[in-house]
Amino acid sequence: MIGYFFPSLSTSLSEIEFANVSLPIAIVLLMMMYPIMLKVKYSELLNFRKNAKVMAFTLTLNWAVQPFMMAFIAWLFMGVIFSSIIPEKLHKEYMMGMIILGLAPCTAMTLVWTYLARANVSCALLQVSINDIIILILYVPIGAFLLGATGFSVPLDTLFVSILLYVAVPLGLAALTRQVTIKTKGEEWLETHLIERIDKITPIGLLITLVLIFIFQGDKIINFPFHLILIAIPLVLHTYLIFSIGYFGSKKLRIPYPEAAPTAFIGASNFFELAVAVSTILFGVNSGVTLAITVGVLVEVPVMLSLVQIMKRNKAKFQFDVSEPSNKF
């Protein structure tokens, strides 16, 4: 409603950007990510062999399953089920928007879901870091294949700036804080005093981030309520399907809860900042492509919060007897 009734505010905020990355959103995301990064135990990031099975399953789910399942669901709903009630031009644009949204697994927000689920943030950071590298290699060819567009491209400056602001900067600040605090006060004081006191910053940052994102798209959200619902249905279905594969796959592979939670979350969530930038550059801010991606952002947070609760309620199912033989990937 703020974006709809005060369009000048939306315009002013949207113009504060660098490399198609909104700086106001970057600031509140930095505020949201910093307390989470403080929990990262950096020695675990170097122990890749310990998480080899987790990473192999994560990469398979994110790049061999997720984009293609999104493309199929987009075609099924927009090209078949809803084709008679949505104009042809629009349902094709919505389909492309859904495909672009599904092309890249989530980055920074995976850490938020992992933090809320009280799981292993260090493992989530490792997964995010490797996926950021894979995006550079696979994003364009998979996107060109699924969209059938030889001109499909990714704004590399947007990708690098996003990774820098959402991951590298808060990680660097948190690492410096950990080093200085442990040296002067000790690790116990860091865990029981500093981290505990600033934990509330993360949910506050998440709420402010959502308000800013929806301010930018306020006009579309108010004016196209029916189309928003039609787009949301397949997106919600896709999120729960990918989560289910991650959930049951992790259980089958006997991945413990602290690592199973981020494994199930990272494919279900999306790198919406990159998706919005790509659609805006290729198709324009007012296109149906960008609208579909906006709906993805709208439904992602409540759906992902429900998945966090599902993981927490089933935590006991991921406690395995280490004496029993584990399944190899």
Side-chain angles (χ1 to χ4, degrees):
M1 292 178 66
I2 292 171
Y4 182 79
F5 289 112
F6 304 97
S8 59
L9 175 62
S10 173
T11 302
S12 299
L13 288 173
S14 65
E15 291 175 350
I16 308 174
E17 63 173 32
F18 178 75
N20 298 293
V21 175
S22 169
L23 294 183
I25 291 178
I27 291 171
V28 292
L29 274 175
L30 175 60
M31 180 180 74
M32 179 176 66
M33 299 305 301
Y34 175 72
I36 297 174
M37 295 297 192
L38 275 179
K39 296 173 179 283
V40 173
K41 296 181 179 179
Y42 300 97
S43 58
E44 294 186 21
L45 295 179
L46 303 177
N47 194 359
F48 179 82
R49 292 186 62 184
K50 175 185 174 183
N51 296 305
K53 180 169 65 175
V54 174
M55 290 308 308
F57 180 53
T58 299
L59 292 176
T60 301
L61 179 61
N62 287 349
W63 296 102
V65 178
Q66 206 256 118
F68 301 95
M69 180 177 288
M70 177 68 93
F72 172 75
I73 290 176
W75 167 81
L76 178 64
F77 279 85
M78 294 301 156
V80 180
I81 298 176
F82 297 152
S83 61
S84 61
I85 54 179
I86 299 178
E88 182 178 0
K89 179 181 182 296
L90 279 181
H91 76 63
K92 287 183 178 180
E93 290 187 0
Y94 295 161
M95 191 186 309
M96 287 190 289
M98 292 170 62
I99 291 173
I100 291 174
L101 185 64
L103 277 175
C106 191
T107 54
M109 293 302 290
T110 300
L111 302 173
V112 179
W113 313 133
T114 303
Y115 157 80
L116 293 175
R118 299 296 184 263
N120 189 341
V121 176
S122 300
C123 177
L125 180 60
L126 181 62
Q127 291 171 311
V128 164
S129 301
I130 293 177
N131 268 291
D132 285 339
I133 297 172
I134 299 298
I135 286 174
L136 295 174
I137 302 171
L138 296 181
Y139 192 91
V140 171
I142 293 179
F145 173 76
L146 292 177
L147 292 174
T150 56
F152 181 79
S153 62
V154 57
L156 292 179
D157 57 346
T158 299
L159 179 60
F160 286 123
V161 171
S162 296
I163 294 170
L164 178 68
L165 293 179
Y166 303 150
V167 179
V169 171
L171 179 62
L173 291 175
L176 181 62
T177 302
R178 282 187 70 94
Q179 183 179 9
V180 172
T181 304
I182 292 174
K183 188 175 181 179
T184 56
K185 297 282 190 177
E187 187 169 0
E188 184 180 351
W189 191 91
L190 171 73
E191 299 287 343
T192 58
H193 288 77
L194 181 60
I195 292 178
E196 191 174 300
R197 288 176 181 174
I198 68 173
D199 253 0
K200 295 179 181 179
I201 294 177
T202 293
I204 293 172
L206 175 59
L207 289 174
I208 297 174
T209 301
L210 295 178
V211 171
L212 284 174
I213 290 172
F214 301 150
I215 281 176
F216 296 153
Q217 304 294 337
D219 185 67
K220 295 187 181 70
I221 294 169
I222 297 295
N223 287 320
F224 298 98
F226 180 61
H227 282 198
L228 296 185
I229 295 172
L230 294 181
I231 297 169
I233 292 171
L235 290 178
V236 171
L237 174 63
H238 173 266
T239 302
Y240 279 108
L241 283 174
I242 291 296
F243 171 80
S244 298
I245 295 173
Y247 177 94
F248 290 108
S250 296
K251 194 174 177 183
K252 180 69 175 176
L253 292 171
R254 302 174 56 78
I255 298 174
Y257 176 82
E259 291 73 42
T263 301
F265 294 149
I266 192 169
S269 191
N270 299 108
F271 193 171
F272 63 83
E273 302 92 347
L274 179 61
V276 169
V278 170
S279 67
T280 301
I281 291 170
L282 296 181
F283 303 101
V285 69
N286 294 314
S287 68
V289 180
T290 304
L291 177 61
I293 294 171
T294 302
V295 177
V297 181
L298 271 172
V299 302
E300 176 170 317
V301 174
V303 171
M304 290 303 301
L305 288 174
S306 74
L307 300 183
V308 167
Q309 293 304 314
I310 290 173
M311 287 301 301
K312 291 172 70 175
R313 285 198 300 267
N314 292 279
K315 183 177 181 178
K317 296 180 180 179
F318 292 87
Q319 295 177 353
F320 304 109
D321 186 350
V322 295
S323 64
E324 295 180 12
S326 62
N327 295 328
K328 294 182 178 181
F329 184 77

Short mmCIF file of all heavy atoms in Angstrom, two decimals, residues 270-309:
data_model
loop_
_atom_site.label_atom_id
_atom_site.label_comp_id
_atom_site.label_asym_id
_atom_site.label_seq_id
_atom_site.Cartn_x
_atom_site.Cartn_y
_atom_site.Cartn_z
N ASN A 270 14.98 -19.12 -3.56
CA ASN A 270 15.55 -18.65 -4.82
C ASN A 270 16.37 -17.38 -4.65
O ASN A 270 16.15 -16.60 -3.72
CB ASN A 270 14.44 -18.40 -5.85
CG ASN A 270 13.65 -19.64 -6.18
OD1 ASN A 270 12.51 -19.78 -5.78
ND2 ASN A 270 14.26 -20.56 -6.91
N PHE A 271 17.28 -17.16 -5.58
CA PHE A 271 18.13 -15.97 -5.62
C PHE A 271 17.33 -14.86 -6.31
O PHE A 271 17.56 -14.52 -7.46
CB PHE A 271 19.40 -16.29 -6.39
CG PHE A 271 20.51 -15.27 -6.26
CD1 PHE A 271 21.77 -15.55 -6.76
CD2 PHE A 271 20.31 -14.04 -5.67
CE1 PHE A 271 22.81 -14.63 -6.65
CE2 PHE A 271 21.32 -13.10 -5.55
CZ PHE A 271 22.58 -13.41 -6.04
N PHE A 272 16.35 -14.29 -5.57
CA PHE A 272 15.39 -13.38 -6.21
C PHE A 272 16.03 -12.08 -6.66
O PHE A 272 15.57 -11.46 -7.62
CB PHE A 272 14.20 -13.12 -5.28
CG PHE A 272 14.53 -12.43 -3.99
CD1 PHE A 272 14.66 -11.05 -3.93
CD2 PHE A 272 14.67 -13.16 -2.82
CE1 PHE A 272 14.95 -10.42 -2.74
CE2 PHE A 272 14.96 -12.51 -1.62
CZ PHE A 272 15.11 -11.14 -1.58
N GLU A 273 17.11 -11.63 -5.97
CA GLU A 273 17.75 -10.39 -6.39
C GLU A 273 18.30 -10.52 -7.81
O GLU A 273 18.14 -9.62 -8.66
CB GLU A 273 18.89 -10.02 -5.43
CG GLU A 273 18.47 -9.87 -3.99
CD GLU A 273 18.62 -11.16 -3.20
OE1 GLU A 273 18.81 -12.22 -3.82
OE2 GLU A 273 18.54 -11.11 -1.97
N LEU A 274 18.95 -11.64 -8.09
CA LEU A 274 19.49 -11.87 -9.42
C LEU A 274 18.38 -12.03 -10.44
O LEU A 274 18.47 -11.51 -11.56
CB LEU A 274 20.39 -13.12 -9.41
CG LEU A 274 21.03 -13.51 -10.74
CD1 LEU A 274 21.94 -12.40 -11.25
CD2 LEU A 274 21.81 -14.82 -10.60
N ALA A 275 17.32 -12.75 -10.08
CA ALA A 275 16.20 -12.97 -11.00
C ALA A 275 15.54 -11.65 -11.40
O ALA A 275 15.23 -11.43 -12.58
CB ALA A 275 15.18 -13.91 -10.37
N VAL A 276 15.33 -10.77 -10.43
CA VAL A 276 14.73 -9.46 -10.72
C VAL A 276 15.62 -8.65 -11.64
O VAL A 276 15.16 -8.01 -12.59
CB VAL A 276 14.45 -8.69 -9.41
CG1 VAL A 276 14.08 -7.25 -9.71
CG2 VAL A 276 13.34 -9.36 -8.62
N ALA A 277 16.93 -8.67 -11.38
CA ALA A 277 17.87 -7.91 -12.21
C ALA A 277 17.87 -8.42 -13.64
O ALA A 277 17.84 -7.65 -14.60
CB ALA A 277 19.27 -7.99 -11.62
N VAL A 278 17.90 -9.74 -13.82
CA VAL A 278 17.91 -10.33 -15.16
C VAL A 278 16.63 -9.99 -15.92
O VAL A 278 16.67 -9.56 -17.08
CB VAL A 278 18.09 -11.86 -15.08
CG1 VAL A 278 17.87 -12.51 -16.45
CG2 VAL A 278 19.49 -12.21 -14.57
N SER A 279 15.48 -10.15 -15.27
CA SER A 279 14.21 -9.89 -15.96
C SER A 279 14.05 -8.41 -16.29
O SER A 279 13.53 -8.06 -17.35
CB SER A 279 13.04 -10.35 -15.08
OG SER A 279 12.94 -9.55 -13.91
N THR A 280 14.52 -7.54 -15.40
CA THR A 280 14.42 -6.10 -15.66
C THR A 280 15.28 -5.69 -16.85
O THR A 280 14.85 -4.90 -17.70
CB THR A 280 14.85 -5.31 -14.40
OG1 THR A 280 14.01 -5.66 -13.30
CG2 THR A 280 14.75 -3.81 -14.65
N ILE A 281 16.48 -6.23 -16.92
CA ILE A 281 17.40 -5.90 -18.02
C ILE A 281 16.90 -6.45 -19.35
O ILE A 281 16.92 -5.77 -20.38
CB ILE A 281 18.81 -6.42 -17.70
CG1 ILE A 281 19.42 -5.63 -16.54
CG2 ILE A 281 19.72 -6.33 -18.93
CD1 ILE A 281 20.70 -6.21 -16.01
N LEU A 282 16.42 -7.70 -19.35
CA LEU A 282 16.04 -8.36 -20.60
C LEU A 282 14.62 -8.01 -21.05
O LEU A 282 14.36 -7.94 -22.25
CB LEU A 282 16.17 -9.88 -20.45
CG LEU A 282 17.58 -10.44 -20.21
CD1 LEU A 282 17.53 -11.97 -20.10
CD2 LEU A 282 18.52 -10.02 -21.32
N PHE A 283 13.70 -7.80 -20.11
CA PHE A 283 12.29 -7.66 -20.48
C PHE A 283 11.63 -6.38 -19.97
O PHE A 283 10.52 -6.06 -20.40
CB PHE A 283 11.49 -8.88 -19.97
CG PHE A 283 12.01 -10.19 -20.46
CD1 PHE A 283 12.80 -10.99 -19.65
CD2 PHE A 283 11.72 -10.64 -21.74
CE1 PHE A 283 13.29 -12.21 -20.10
CE2 PHE A 283 12.19 -11.85 -22.20
CZ PHE A 283 12.98 -12.64 -21.38
N GLY A 284 12.26 -5.67 -19.06
CA GLY A 284 11.69 -4.42 -18.55
C GLY A 284 11.00 -4.59 -17.22
O GLY A 284 10.50 -5.67 -16.88
N VAL A 285 10.94 -3.50 -16.46
CA VAL A 285 10.40 -3.56 -15.11
C VAL A 285 8.89 -3.78 -15.10
O VAL A 285 8.33 -4.30 -14.11
CB VAL A 285 10.77 -2.27 -14.34
CG1 VAL A 285 10.03 -1.07 -14.92
CG2 VAL A 285 10.48 -2.40 -12.86
N ASN A 286 8.19 -3.39 -16.16
CA ASN A 286 6.73 -3.52 -16.21
C ASN A 286 6.24 -4.77 -16.94
O ASN A 286 5.05 -4.91 -17.21
CB ASN A 286 6.12 -2.28 -16.87
CG ASN A 286 6.34 -1.03 -16.04
OD1 ASN A 286 6.14 -1.04 -14.84
ND2 ASN A 286 6.76 0.05 -16.69
N SER A 287 7.13 -5.68 -17.27
CA SER A 287 6.76 -6.88 -18.03
C SER A 287 6.12 -7.92 -17.13
O SER A 287 6.26 -7.91 -15.90
CB SER A 287 8.00 -7.48 -18.69
OG SER A 287 8.88 -8.01 -17.71
N GLY A 288 5.41 -8.86 -17.76
CA GLY A 288 4.84 -9.98 -17.02
C GLY A 288 5.91 -10.88 -16.44
O GLY A 288 5.69 -11.56 -15.43
N VAL A 289 7.08 -10.89 -17.06
CA VAL A 289 8.21 -11.68 -16.56
C VAL A 289 8.60 -11.19 -15.17
O VAL A 289 8.75 -11.99 -14.22
CB VAL A 289 9.42 -11.58 -17.53
CG1 VAL A 289 10.59 -12.39 -17.00
CG2 VAL A 289 9.03 -12.04 -18.93
N THR A 290 8.77 -9.88 -15.03
CA THR A 290 9.14 -9.30 -13.74
C THR A 290 8.02 -9.47 -12.71
O THR A 290 8.28 -9.70 -11.53
CB THR A 290 9.49 -7.81 -13.90
OG1 THR A 290 10.53 -7.68 -14.88
CG2 THR A 290 9.96 -7.21 -12.59
N LEU A 291 6.77 -9.39 -13.16
CA LEU A 291 5.64 -9.58 -12.25
C LEU A 291 5.66 -10.99 -11.66
O LEU A 291 5.46 -11.18 -10.45
CB LEU A 291 4.32 -9.34 -12.97
CG LEU A 291 3.05 -9.58 -12.14
CD1 LEU A 291 3.02 -8.65 -10.93
CD2 LEU A 291 1.80 -9.41 -12.99
N ALA A 292 5.92 -12.00 -12.48
CA ALA A 292 5.97 -13.38 -12.00
C ALA A 292 7.06 -13.57 -10.95
O ALA A 292 6.86 -14.27 -9.95
CB ALA A 292 6.20 -14.33 -13.18
N ILE A 293 8.19 -12.92 -11.16
CA ILE A 293 9.28 -13.02 -10.18
C ILE A 293 8.91 -12.31 -8.89
O ILE A 293 9.22 -12.78 -7.79
CB ILE A 293 10.57 -12.44 -10.78
CG1 ILE A 293 11.04 -13.33 -11.95
CG2 ILE A 293 11.68 -12.33 -9.73
CD1 ILE A 293 12.17 -12.75 -12.74
N THR A 294 8.19 -11.19 -9.00
CA THR A 294 7.72 -10.48 -7.82
C THR A 294 6.79 -11.36 -6.99
O THR A 294 6.86 -11.38 -5.75
CB THR A 294 6.97 -9.19 -8.22
OG1 THR A 294 7.84 -8.36 -8.99
CG2 THR A 294 6.49 -8.43 -6.99
N VAL A 295 5.92 -12.10 -7.66
CA VAL A 295 5.03 -13.03 -6.94
C VAL A 295 5.86 -14.09 -6.22
O VAL A 295 5.53 -14.51 -5.11
CB VAL A 295 4.03 -13.68 -7.91
CG1 VAL A 295 3.16 -14.70 -7.18
CG2 VAL A 295 3.16 -12.63 -8.56
N GLY A 296 6.96 -14.52 -6.87
CA GLY A 296 7.84 -15.48 -6.23
C GLY A 296 8.38 -14.97 -4.91
O GLY A 296 8.47 -15.71 -3.92
N VAL A 297 8.72 -13.69 -4.87
CA VAL A 297 9.21 -13.08 -3.63
C VAL A 297 8.08 -13.00 -2.61
O VAL A 297 8.27 -13.23 -1.41
CB VAL A 297 9.78 -11.67 -3.90
CG1 VAL A 297 10.31 -11.06 -2.62
CG2 VAL A 297 10.88 -11.74 -4.95
N LEU A 298 6.86 -12.68 -3.08
CA LEU A 298 5.70 -12.57 -2.20
C LEU A 298 5.42 -13.87 -1.46
O LEU A 298 5.17 -13.88 -0.25
CB LEU A 298 4.47 -12.17 -3.01
CG LEU A 298 4.17 -10.70 -3.21
CD1 LEU A 298 3.03 -10.54 -4.20
CD2 LEU A 298 3.82 -10.03 -1.90
N VAL A 299 5.44 -14.99 -2.20
CA VAL A 299 5.05 -16.27 -1.60
C VAL A 299 6.20 -16.96 -0.89
O VAL A 299 5.99 -17.81 -0.02
CB VAL A 299 4.46 -17.23 -2.67
CG1 VAL A 299 3.27 -16.59 -3.35
CG2 VAL A 299 5.50 -17.65 -3.69
N GLU A 300 7.44 -16.58 -1.24
CA GLU A 300 8.58 -17.33 -0.70
C GLU A 300 8.68 -17.26 0.81
O GLU A 300 8.89 -18.28 1.48
CB GLU A 300 9.90 -16.84 -1.32
CG GLU A 300 11.11 -17.52 -0.72
CD GLU A 300 12.39 -17.22 -1.47
OE1 GLU A 300 12.38 -17.25 -2.71
OE2 GLU A 300 13.40 -16.97 -0.80
N VAL A 301 8.54 -16.06 1.38
CA VAL A 301 8.79 -15.92 2.82
C VAL A 301 7.78 -16.70 3.67
O VAL A 301 8.19 -17.50 4.51
CB VAL A 301 8.83 -14.44 3.22
CG1 VAL A 301 8.93 -14.30 4.73
CG2 VAL A 301 10.03 -13.77 2.56
N PRO A 302 6.46 -16.54 3.47
CA PRO A 302 5.55 -17.35 4.29
C PRO A 302 5.70 -18.84 4.05
O PRO A 302 5.61 -19.63 5.01
CB PRO A 302 4.15 -16.85 3.87
CG PRO A 302 4.35 -16.16 2.58
CD PRO A 302 5.73 -15.60 2.60
N VAL A 303 5.96 -19.25 2.80
CA VAL A 303 6.13 -20.67 2.52
C VAL A 303 7.39 -21.20 3.18
O VAL A 303 7.39 -22.26 3.81
CB VAL A 303 6.18 -20.92 1.00
CG1 VAL A 303 6.58 -22.37 0.70
CG2 VAL A 303 4.82 -20.64 0.37
N MET A 304 8.50 -20.46 3.06
CA MET A 304 9.76 -20.91 3.65
C MET A 304 9.67 -20.94 5.18
O MET A 304 10.24 -21.83 5.82
CB MET A 304 10.92 -20.02 3.22
CG MET A 304 11.29 -20.15 1.76
SD MET A 304 11.72 -21.84 1.26
CE MET A 304 13.09 -22.20 2.34
N LEU A 305 8.94 -20.00 5.78
CA LEU A 305 8.75 -20.04 7.23
C LEU A 305 7.97 -21.29 7.65
O LEU A 305 8.24 -21.88 8.70
CB LEU A 305 8.03 -18.78 7.71
CG LEU A 305 8.86 -17.49 7.66
CD1 LEU A 305 8.00 -16.28 8.02
CD2 LEU A 305 10.05 -17.57 8.62
N SER A 306 7.03 -21.71 6.80
CA SER A 306 6.30 -22.95 7.10
C SER A 306 7.23 -24.16 7.00
O SER A 306 7.12 -25.12 7.78
CB SER A 306 5.10 -23.11 6.15
OG SER A 306 5.53 -23.48 4.84
N LEU A 307 8.18 -24.12 6.04
CA LEU A 307 9.13 -25.23 5.90
C LEU A 307 10.11 -25.27 7.08
O LEU A 307 10.54 -26.35 7.50
CB LEU A 307 9.89 -25.09 4.59
CG LEU A 307 9.04 -25.11 3.31
CD1 LEU A 307 9.91 -25.05 2.06
CD2 LEU A 307 8.16 -26.36 3.28
N VAL A 308 10.47 -24.10 7.59
CA VAL A 308 11.31 -24.04 8.80
C VAL A 308 10.61 -24.76 9.95
O VAL A 308 11.23 -25.55 10.68
CB VAL A 308 11.62 -22.57 9.18
CG1 VAL A 308 12.22 -22.49 10.58
CG2 VAL A 308 12.58 -21.96 8.17
N GLN A 309 9.31 -24.50 10.10
CA GLN A 309 8.56 -25.16 11.18
C GLN A 309 8.46 -26.67 10.96
O GLN A 309 8.54 -27.46 11.92
CB GLN A 309 7.16 -24.55 11.29
CG GLN A 309 7.15 -23.11 11.75
CD GLN A 309 7.86 -22.91 13.06
OE1 GLN A 309 7.66 -23.66 14.01
NE2 GLN A 309 8.72 -21.90 13.13
#
